[in-house]
């Protein structure tokens, strides 16, 4: 039942009950602020994220907590509203004085709370895969970024299906930046963008887009559509008999469209993922067993939920390495370059220059029966782009989001 | 050439069907009864969810869709009797109540049924014409939109119930004095509006992502179409839908969906500026 | 002038009302001395939105124009403040200049839109839909400005992710400006709000207000009495919209951030919910009601997680069922044991001309 989440969220009552139970641990619990949308449009993604954090907290407390202290989650639900993100980030940081902040789904929500975090002395974990580029010493990014997802996926798609690409993107920052990445990666491959279309958020009807695609006759589709309404594309494209190969950095492992739509709507979809529920390494199987034991009704463990789980283990690693939960102390551990943990996907590390995370990337695809196959194992890929263009958080804190057309100014 | 023409028509039909089907329920509840129904999207969601449930329970799709229509209609009748009826004398307050109901409905659905639901899959397959592929189901939606327009027109113009209903909406006390059971008329009219919203959800359920907030994608188009249609929804909705669909289809085709969306909204402003009474006001003036 | 603070168009005219209002104000003024700085900042944040609600109260409650466009002007104010702040800076009191220019720009937009609508004889639901349409069009437009080409000077609009990098409001002071944050912001907003509220009271009790209410009740009759109805509606619309822009500037300065979602749905419906909930026919009710509703909604969201939206919905439904004139107009009626006045009788016999 979803009610479970209500228990751990509300601030005061569960806090006391947990303290009572784990009296063996240090007296003063470490407070972790969590902002995840479990109401509104984004609840589908926010709920697994909340669950991932809850599972990790339970496990870590079972293993003795962090620095011998118990950790408690203080979760608030911003309901997908950026203003609520601002209100609640302030509340958690200034009133509840949390020791760590985690959360945010859309890039807009991350940008809403980043100025507030920057003025505090708390470290912030953003646990989504996103368009990349945030160079901010207060933030650790746990999710995969374009150089990990796109510079693996796109060359593979070109090699397998051809050079003519049609981009269908959500008309907002993620869509525009990922489309830009696509163009950049395709150029040296002699790839050709035969069409590019941006769709306003919330649009659910795609007859025109489907027709434009049929006109352009691409070899494959580069899908950057976002949100539940835009996911209707797959159903409508299948009904019109479009049947083209598709590649995307956000489908399958994030939105589990292959579970939500009846086959064959997602047939021939490809993605590069650091986590997907079908991963069956021993560590992954063990992790899935623990998750489903705690949340038996979870429709799918998506990569966001997985990243949220991993984030808390990263925090533990940083805190124990630094013997402190202060941001500056923990950042020293990152600076030294040994900030690594053994996650269910494999061993991953935080890059000192950008404070983004390396990931073990795999290329996955969905067949006509909506079974997921692993087509290629890329191994561990570093988040190199920010460091390459000049972001170096070990030297200076830019507090900026960069993109291929907005690069750091030369020093 | 023919294929291109047909492709344009197909695009137009698609947008037209979307506008008409999403507006139909609102045309009755808002256009005729004057209730600003902010929960319109939630009636649509209800129709879609009920349809999907019935389908997964083993009913064939058309029967499942009928279930969706009936479910939304029944809920509409119950709500009318309990919450909406006291508000006929103060229509603006219906905005608050229905907005509150909408919140309760979406969030209740989220808590009870979860954040998403497995879909149905679009039936009917497709056909090809000159390099384009078309979905047969989208043509069914267009036909359904035409049927809905005809149904509303005939129901309110040609049946005894329709005449009673229009009389009640115009002057409830007078109608009652003449022997019309006005409470029953109100309940039925509201129920029909809710059922039409449910029909929209039922018809679009196989083509869309099912989440509790799915109704939100319909609501702007619905209000805009009804209002541009003008006070007499029986007369205005169809021309409004045609005008807006042509605008949007053309802009979609030329400049992409973003400008289609913005253009649709600006077209609304323009149309109302030129025809302050909406299409029906203008048509009525020309007729007289 | 001051005698117009009391009059037929406002509730709460007696000595008792002013004495208790004085106490509330005094309590509000000394509140930061006792409260946690976070709570003071949060308090100020609620007050930020009240301007927008008062503006809607003026045009809808008094003037009878239901505008869905408050967030349109909120957005223009907020984005304009951001652009001015980034491009012109905020030194030497320039921030207040940015503030004023942003509000005036929104006023200009309101004048254009208002002229098109009011002088085009657009009324009733058409008014609501036109304002909603331009609001959503602006939200969609700003949503697609992600690219670097969408910049005004140094200020990038930055699409859906929102505009950033503006500095907070500051007032010039000896030896550098005072940034308006937390307690300073609280006092600034509080004083601005008190002035706005009193000025609006004077306005609605003056001849303008009386005519406005007459227009709401019966535009034709008012016109036959010799008033240019459209001029009064136009004025109320522009003024109310500029108040929305004040909220927009304050919000942007508060969080140094604004996104298109502050403009589009469901944000656009919120001012209407606040005003309708409070009781749209009275300024005091809207002032108190909006504040209370914002605080209640936030508290619910903090403590009841997923149930919050359901409880909010229930509050709205119950309010309408129990208090037909709105929560706070209803409460004040009970408190004053006023006989229910027919609203049409609240138009005093104003002398034309």
């Amino acid at each position: 039942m979803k009610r479970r989440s209500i228990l751990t969220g509300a601030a005061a009552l569960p806090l006391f009950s947990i303290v009572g139970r784990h009296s063996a641990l240090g007296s003063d619990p470490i407070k972790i602020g969590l902002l995840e949308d479990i109401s509104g449009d984004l609840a589908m993604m926010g709920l697994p994220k909340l669950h991932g954090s809850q599972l990790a907290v339970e496990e870590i407390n079972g293993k003795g907590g962090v620095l011998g202290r118990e950790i408690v989650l203080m979760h608030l639900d911003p309901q997908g509203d950026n203003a609520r993100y601002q209100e609640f980030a302030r509340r958690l940081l200034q009133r509840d004085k949390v020791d760590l902040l985690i959360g945010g789904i859309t890039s807009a929500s991350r940008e809403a709370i980043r100025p507030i975090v920057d003025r505090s002395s708390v470290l912030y974990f953003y646990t989504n895969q996103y368009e990349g580029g945030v160079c901010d010493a207060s933030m650790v990014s746990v999710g995969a970024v374009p150089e990990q997802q796109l510079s693996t996926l796109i060359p593979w798609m070109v090699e397998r299906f051809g050079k003519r690409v049609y981009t269908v993107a959500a008309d907002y920052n993620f869509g525009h930046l990922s489309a830009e990445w696509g163009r950049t990666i395709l150029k040296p491959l002699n790839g050709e963008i035969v069409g590019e279309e941006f769709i306003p958020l919330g649009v659910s009807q795609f007859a025109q887009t489907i027709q434009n695609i049929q006109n352009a006759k691409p070899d494959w589709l580069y899908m950057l559509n976002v949100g539940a309404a835009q996911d209707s594309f797959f159903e409508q494209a299948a009904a019109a008999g479009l049947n083209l190969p598709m590649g995307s950095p956000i489908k399958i492992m994030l939105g589990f469209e292959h579970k939500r739509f009846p086959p064959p709507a997602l047939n021939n979809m490809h993605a590069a993922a650091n986590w997907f529920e079908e991963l069956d390494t021993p560590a992954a199987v063990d992790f899935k067993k623990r998750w489903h034991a705690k949340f038996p009704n979870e429709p799918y463990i998506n990569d966001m939920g997985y990243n949220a789980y991993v984030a808390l283990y990263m925090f533990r690693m940083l805190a124990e390495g630094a013997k402190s939960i202060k941001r500056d102390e923990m950042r020293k551990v990152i600076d030294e370059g040994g900030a690594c943990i053994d996650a269910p996907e494999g061993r991953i590390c935080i890059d000192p220059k950008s404070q983004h995370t390396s990931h073990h990337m795999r290329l996955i695809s969905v067949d006509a029966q909506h079974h997921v196959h692993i087509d290629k194992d890329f191994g561990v890929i570093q988040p190199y782009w920010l460091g390459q263009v000049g972001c170096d958080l070990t030297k200076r804190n830019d507090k900026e989001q960069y993109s291929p057309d907005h690069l750091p100014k030369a020093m | 050439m023919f294929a291109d023409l047909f492709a344009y028509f197909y695009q137009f039909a698609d947008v037209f069907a979307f506008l008409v089907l999403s507006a139909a329920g609102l045309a009755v509840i808002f256009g005729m009864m004057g209730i600003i129904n902010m929960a319109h999207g939630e009636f649509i969601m209800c129709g879609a969810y009920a349809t999907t449930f019935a389908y997964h329970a083993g009913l064939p799709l058309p029967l499942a869709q009928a279930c969706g229509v009936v479910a939304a209609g029944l809920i509409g009748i119950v709500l009318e009797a309990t919450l909406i009826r006291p508000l006929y004398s103060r229509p603006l307050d219906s905005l608050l109540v229905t907005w509150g109901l909408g919140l309760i409905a979406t969030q209740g659905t989220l808590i009870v049924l979860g954040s998403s639901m497995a879909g149905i899959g679009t039936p009917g397959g497709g056909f090809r014409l000159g390099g384009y592929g078309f979905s047969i189901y989208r043509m069914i939606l267009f036909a359904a939109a035409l049927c809905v327009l005809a149904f509303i027109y005939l129901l309110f113009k040609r049946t005894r119930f329709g005449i009673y209903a229009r009389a009640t909406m115009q002057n409830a006390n007078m109608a009652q004095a003449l022997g019309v059971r006005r409470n029953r008329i109100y309940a039925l009219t509201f129920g029909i509006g809710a059922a039409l919203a449910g029909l929209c959800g039922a018809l679009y359920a196989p083509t869309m992502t099912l989440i509790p907030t799915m109704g939100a994608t319909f609501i702007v188009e619905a209000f805009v179409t009804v209002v541009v249609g003008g006070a007499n929804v029986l007369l205005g909705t169809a021309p409004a839908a045609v005008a807006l669909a042509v605008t949007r289809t053309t802009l979609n085709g030329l400049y992409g969906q973003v400008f289609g969306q913005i253009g649709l909204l600006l077209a609304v402003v323009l149309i109302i500026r030129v025809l302050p009474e909406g299409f029906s006001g203008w048509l009525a003036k020309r007729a007289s | 002038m001051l005698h117009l603070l009391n009059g037929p168009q406002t509730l709460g005219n007696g000595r008792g009302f002013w004495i208790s209002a004085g106490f509330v104000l005094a309590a509000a003024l000394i509140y930061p001395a006792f409260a946690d700085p976070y709570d003071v900042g949060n308090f100020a944040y609620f007050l930020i939105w009240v301007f927008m609600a008062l503006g809607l109260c003026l045009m809808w409650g008094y003037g009878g124009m239901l505008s869905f466009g408050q967030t349109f002007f909120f957005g223009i104010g907020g984005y304009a403040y951001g652009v001015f702040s980034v491009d012109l800076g905020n030194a030497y009191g320039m921030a207040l200049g940015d503030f004023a220019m942003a509000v005036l720009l929104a006023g200009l937009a309101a004048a254009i839109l208002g002229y098109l609508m009011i002088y085009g004889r657009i009324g009733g639901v058409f008014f609501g839909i036109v304002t909603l349409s331009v609001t959503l069009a602006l939200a969609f437009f700003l949503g697609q400005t992600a690219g670097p080409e969408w910049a005004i000077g140094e200020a990038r609009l930055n699409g859906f992710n929102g505009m950033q990098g503006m500095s907070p409001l500051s007032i010039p002071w000896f030896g550098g400006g005072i940034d308006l944050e937390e307690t300073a912001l609280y006092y600034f907003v509080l004083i601005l709000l008190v002035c706005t509220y009193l000025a609006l009271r004077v306005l609605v009790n003056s001849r303008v207000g009386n005519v406005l209410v007459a227009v709401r009740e019966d535009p034709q009759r008012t016109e036959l009495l010799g008033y240019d109805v459209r001029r009064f509606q136009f004025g109320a619309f522009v003024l109310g919209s500029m108040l929305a822009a004040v909220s927009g500037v304050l919000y942007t300065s508060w969080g140094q951030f604004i996104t298109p979602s502050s403009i589009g749905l469901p944000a656009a419906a919120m001012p209407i919910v606040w005003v309708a909930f409070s009781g749209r026919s009275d300024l005091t009710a809207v002032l108190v009601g909006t504040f209370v509703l914002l605080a209640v909604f936030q508290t619910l969201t903090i403590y009841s997680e997923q149930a919050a939206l359901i409880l909010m919905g229930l509050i709205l439904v119950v309010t309408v069922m129990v208090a037909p004139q709105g929560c706070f107009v209803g409460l004040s009626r009970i408190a004053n044991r006023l006989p229910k006045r027919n609203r049409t009788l609240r138009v005093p016999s104003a002398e034309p001309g």
Side-chain angles (χ1 to χ4, degrees):
Chain A
M1 283 297 289
K2 300 287 185 294
R3 275 188 171 275
R4 206 177 289 254
S5 57
I6 295 173
L7 290 176
T8 18
L13 196 103
L15 196 147
F16 287 123
S17 62
I18 294 169
V19 171
R21 223 175 29 234
H22 293 275
S23 50
L25 297 176
S27 56
D28 215 12
I30 295 173
K31 289 187 279 191
I32 295 176
L34 183 66
L35 293 172
E36 303 290 9
D37 303 312
I38 55 168
S39 308
D41 263 344
L42 301 168
M44 196 175 78
M45 296 168 194
L47 277 167
K49 293 188 75 184
L50 175 64
H51 292 165
S53 304
Q54 287 170 334
L55 177 63
V57 164
E58 189 182 277
E59 287 181 12
I60 289 173
N61 281 335
K63 294 175 192 164
V66 173
L67 296 171
R69 290 165 69 185
E70 182 200 2
I71 54 176
V72 288
L73 274 186
M74 303 184 82
H75 171 243
L76 294 176
D77 172 13
Q79 303 172 336
D81 176 349
N82 295 333
R84 283 259 187 270
Y85 268 100
Q86 293 170 292
E87 292 167 37
F88 288 169
R90 282 174 191 244
R91 184 183 170 89
L92 289 170
L93 292 170
Q94 297 168 5
R95 182 176 176 279
D96 299 329
K97 308 220 163 28
V98 295
D99 302 297
L100 179 77
L101 189 66
I102 305 180
I105 292 189
T106 59
S107 288
S109 65
R110 180 196 65 236
E111 294 304 296
I113 58 185
R114 213 155 51 78
I116 303 167
V117 174
D118 282 336
R119 275 182 281 166
S120 76
S121 58
V122 164
L123 195 62
Y124 163 55
F125 279 91
Y126 180 57
T127 52
N128 289 10
Q129 57 87 254
Y130 78 114
E131 69 274 9
V134 173
C135 178
D136 187 329
S138 318
M139 186 182 111
V140 171
S141 164
V142 184
V145 283
E147 60 267 36
Q148 293 167 323
Q149 294 191 292
L150 299 179
S151 51
T152 49
L153 171 76
I154 292 175
W156 191 88
M157 293 293 288
V158 168
E159 191 182 315
R160 177 62 86 69
F161 298 109
K163 295 180 175 178
R164 295 168 59 80
V165 185
Y166 195 103
T167 307
V168 179
D171 185 28
Y172 86 113
N173 302 50
F174 170 79
H176 280 279
L177 285 177
S178 305
E180 169 87 35
W181 270 98
R183 286 193 290 271
T184 314
I185 295 170
L186 279 170
K187 197 174 276 170
L189 302 170
N190 294 321
E192 185 192 355
I193 303 272
V194 294
E196 192 171 61
E197 194 161 342
F198 292 96
I199 317 285
L201 290 176
V203 161
S204 63
Q205 305 301 313
F206 289 94
Q208 182 72 52
T209 307
I210 291 165
Q211 192 174 301
N212 295 347
I213 293 170
Q214 291 173 331
N215 250 337
K217 298 188 180 57
D219 293 323
W220 58 279
L221 302 176
Y222 180 36
M223 297 304 302
L224 301 166
N225 54 335
V226 168
Q230 294 193 354
D231 278 343
S232 307
F233 173 86
F234 300 113
E235 197 55 70
Q236 293 168 21
L242 199 58
N243 206 13
L244 282 168
M246 298 179 277
S248 168
I250 43 173
K251 300 301 158 192
I252 310 177
M253 67 285 181
L254 195 160
F256 50 102
E257 291 79 2
H258 60 302
K259 297 282 181 196
R260 292 191 287 128
F261 291 107
L266 259 270
N267 184 23
N268 229 343
M269 170 63 85
H270 301 74
N274 64 314
W275 169 264
F276 46 100
E277 194 179 313
E278 291 79 2
L279 184 65
D280 55 2
T281 62
V285 170
D286 189 48
F287 165 69
K288 288 188 284 187
K289 204 160 57 180
R290 281 177 277 137
W291 186 300
H292 284 301
K294 188 166 166 67
F295 303 107
N297 292 328
E298 195 76 73
Y300 187 83
I301 306 173
N302 69 354
D303 63 343
M304 285 184 178
Y306 162 83
N307 290 337
Y309 170 87
V310 168
L312 280 157
Y313 277 96
M314 281 184 168
F315 166 65
R316 185 175 78 152
M317 172 268 300
L318 292 177
E320 312 237 289
K323 304 264 182 298
S324 163
I325 51 170
K326 292 208 174 68
R327 172 163 78 201
D328 295 339
E329 299 297 316
M330 290 196 289
R331 285 199 55 232
K332 281 183 193 150
V333 180
I334 301 177
D335 283 358
E336 285 156 13
C340 300
I341 62 165
D342 287 309
E345 72 185 84
R347 189 167 179 80
I348 56 177
C349 303
I350 305 176
D351 167 49
K353 278 186 173 173
S354 64
Q355 296 188 176
H356 285 50
T357 309
S358 66
H359 281 296
H360 193 124
M361 304 302 294
R362 294 173 175 87
L363 197 120
I364 54 177
S365 63
V366 171
D367 66 17
Q369 284 75 46
H370 282 193
H371 297 306
V372 172
H373 304 277
I374 302 177
D375 292 340
K376 186 173 178 181
D377 188 334
F378 295 105
V380 173
I381 294 186
Q382 299 298 325
Y384 56 80
W385 183 75
L386 268 172
Q388 219 170 51
V389 298
C391 162
D392 189 351
L393 292 169
T394 60
K395 298 209 172 65
R396 67 169 204 272
N397 183 3
D398 300 20
K399 301 184 184 175
E400 273 274 359
Q401 181 173 14
Y402 297 118
S403 64
D405 49 53
H406 174 56
L407 295 172
K409 292 188 180 83
M411 286 301 281
Chain B
M1 184 61 199
F2 173 74
D4 285 319
L5 271 181
F6 181 79
Y8 183 83
F9 168 74
Y10 177 86
Q11 296 305 329
F12 163 79
D14 195 57
V15 178
F16 176 83
F18 186 79
L19 292 175
V20 166
L21 289 172
S22 52
L26 202 68
V28 174
I29 292 177
F30 174 56
M32 291 191 61
M33 307 180 76
I35 296 165
I36 305 177
N37 181 18
M38 301 292 278
H40 181 63
E42 281 62 50
F43 282 114
I44 294 177
M45 182 267 290
C46 169
Y49 265 62
T51 302
T52 312
F53 253 111
Y55 180 81
H56 286 319
L59 288 184
L61 185 61
L63 268 184
Q65 286 172 324
C67 289
V69 175
V70 171
L74 286 179
I75 290 177
I77 289 175
V78 172
L79 285 180
E80 194 278 340
T82 49
L83 293 174
I84 308 292
R85 196 170 295 165
L87 303 179
Y88 287 122
S89 54
R90 40 197 177 106
L92 286 175
D93 286 342
S94 60
L95 182 152
L96 263 195
V97 168
T98 50
W99 200 74
L101 287 174
L103 280 183
I104 296 171
T106 37
Q107 193 66 9
T109 310
L110 175 72
I111 292 174
V112 176
L113 298 176
S115 53
S116 71
M117 201 172 179
I120 293 178
T122 312
F127 58 94
R128 300 197 70 83
L129 195 68
Y132 300 114
F134 299 100
S135 159
I136 289 173
Y137 191 74
R138 309 300 287 189
M139 300 315 294
I140 296 178
L141 289 178
F142 179 61
L146 293 177
C147 290
V148 163
L149 281 176
F151 168 78
I152 297 179
Y153 187 83
L154 292 177
L155 178 71
F156 287 103
K157 280 283 199 196
R158 294 292 154 85
T159 66
R160 187 164 290 269
F161 164 77
I163 292 164
Y164 286 171
R166 284 190 294 140
T168 310
M169 299 316 149
Q170 248 169 26
N171 190 335
N173 291 333
M174 187 59 132
Q176 195 168 28
L178 293 173
V180 174
R181 292 196 222 173
R182 68 182 236 189
N183 279 353
R184 181 186 283 185
I185 295 287
Y186 274 135
L188 273 178
T189 314
F190 195 89
I192 289 169
L196 286 171
L199 176 68
C200 171
L203 287 171
Y204 278 96
T207 73
M208 282 183 65
T209 319
L210 296 166
I211 58 164
T213 50
M214 65 182 285
T217 49
F218 295 91
I219 195 146
V220 172
E221 276 85 349
F223 269 100
V224 154
T225 311
V226 172
V227 170
V228 169
N232 185 346
V233 295
L234 303 178
L235 212 59
T237 307
V242 170
L244 294 177
V246 167
T247 311
R248 185 167 194 165
T249 310
T250 311
L251 288 173
N252 271 353
L254 291 177
Y255 304 108
Q257 288 242 29
V258 181
F259 286 92
Q261 186 92 337
I262 295 177
L264 175 84
L265 294 166
L266 295 181
V268 168
V269 176
L270 209 68
I271 293 172
I272 295 181
R273 182 65 181 74
V274 178
L275 311 171
E277 303 281 304
F279 273 99
S280 68
W282 178 65
L283 288 171
K285 218 177 267 173
R286 287 198 51 173
S288 64
Chain C
M1 196 65 176
L2 281 181
H3 68 279
L4 288 172
L5 284 173
N6 291 318
Q9 308 305 352
T10 46
L11 291 171
N13 292 315
R15 182 183 294 260
F17 170 80
W18 287 108
I19 290 174
S20 40
F23 272 115
V24 171
L25 180 61
L29 283 171
I30 56 170
Y31 172 71
F34 302 100
D36 185 88
Y38 162 77
D39 288 316
V40 176
N42 199 36
F43 222 88
Y45 170 74
F46 293 143
L47 295 179
I48 283 172
W49 301 95
V50 174
F51 296 93
M52 180 150 77
L54 287 177
L56 184 64
C57 173
L58 178 70
M59 61 175 100
W60 183 26
Y62 289 87
M65 295 171 283
L66 173 54
S67 166
F68 256 95
Q70 284 302 75
T71 55
F72 178 73
F73 301 105
F74 178 94
I76 291 180
Y79 271 92
Y81 174 75
V83 171
F84 291 141
S85 169
V86 169
D87 285 339
L88 305 177
N90 70 337
Y92 312 112
M94 194 58 219
L96 293 180
D98 297 337
F99 186 169
M101 285 192 296
V103 172
L104 286 176
L105 189 72
L108 184 69
I112 295 169
L113 184 63
Y115 177 80
L116 284 175
M117 288 193 301
I118 292 161
Y119 285 84
R121 297 278 182 194
I122 292 171
V125 288
F126 297 104
F127 199 92
I129 290 295
V130 170
T131 45
L132 179 65
S133 296
V134 293
T135 305
L136 295 178
L138 179 68
F140 279 120
F141 169 77
L142 287 170
Q144 55 89 53
T145 57
E149 68 276 21
W150 294 103
I152 302 172
E154 288 292 299
R156 272 187 67 172
L157 299 178
N158 201 28
F160 188 84
N161 282 10
M163 189 174 177
Q164 286 168 303
M166 59 289 276
S167 33
L169 282 170
S170 64
I171 39 179
W173 202 253
F174 307 106
I178 301 178
D179 276 358
L180 291 176
E181 293 187 289
E182 308 297 337
T183 307
L185 177 71
Y186 172 77
Y187 280 116
F188 180 77
V189 175
L190 185 66
I191 292 166
L192 195 61
L193 185 61
V194 169
C195 296
T196 308
Y197 167 70
L198 294 177
L200 283 174
R201 271 188 83 112
V202 170
L203 180 76
V204 297
N205 282 321
S206 71
R207 195 181 68 99
V208 175
N210 289 335
V211 177
L212 210 52
V213 172
V215 173
R216 177 190 73 197
E217 296 302 332
D218 194 334
Q220 264 182 333
R221 189 177 294 179
T222 319
E223 193 148 27
L224 290 173
L225 285 170
Y227 292 102
D228 184 354
V229 168
R230 296 178 293 185
R231 209 160 50 115
F232 288 91
Q233 286 184 319
F234 179 76
F237 181 74
V238 172
L239 189 59
S241 302
M242 284 166 77
L243 285 174
V246 169
S247 283
V249 172
L250 291 172
Y251 168 78
T252 310
S253 156
W254 171 79
Q256 287 132 59
F257 182 65
I258 185 165
T259 69
S261 1
S262 301
I263 300 169
L265 282 174
M270 292 314 292
I272 295 170
V273 170
W274 302 331
V275 173
F277 167 83
S278 313
R280 65 179 174 278
S281 57
D282 184 71
L283 288 168
T284 317
V286 167
L287 175 81
V288 178
T290 304
F291 182 83
V292 168
L293 199 62
L294 283 164
V296 167
F297 276 9
Q298 192 196 60
T299 313
L300 281 177
T301 313
I302 289 168
Y303 291 106
S304 53
E305 292 263 304
Q306 280 194 316
L309 289 168
I310 291 189
L311 293 172
M312 290 180 202
L314 278 176
I315 288 175
L316 296 177
V317 172
V318 170
T319 307
V320 175
M321 290 297 152
V322 177
Q325 282 103 355
C327 189
F328 285 86
V329 172
L331 278 179
S332 77
R333 289 261 154 78
I334 295 166
N336 292 331
R337 295 178 197 289
L338 282 172
K340 273 195 179 173
R341 287 178 297 179
N342 188 337
R343 270 192 281 138
T344 47
L345 295 181
R346 285 175 63 193
V347 187
S349 50
E351 290 156 36

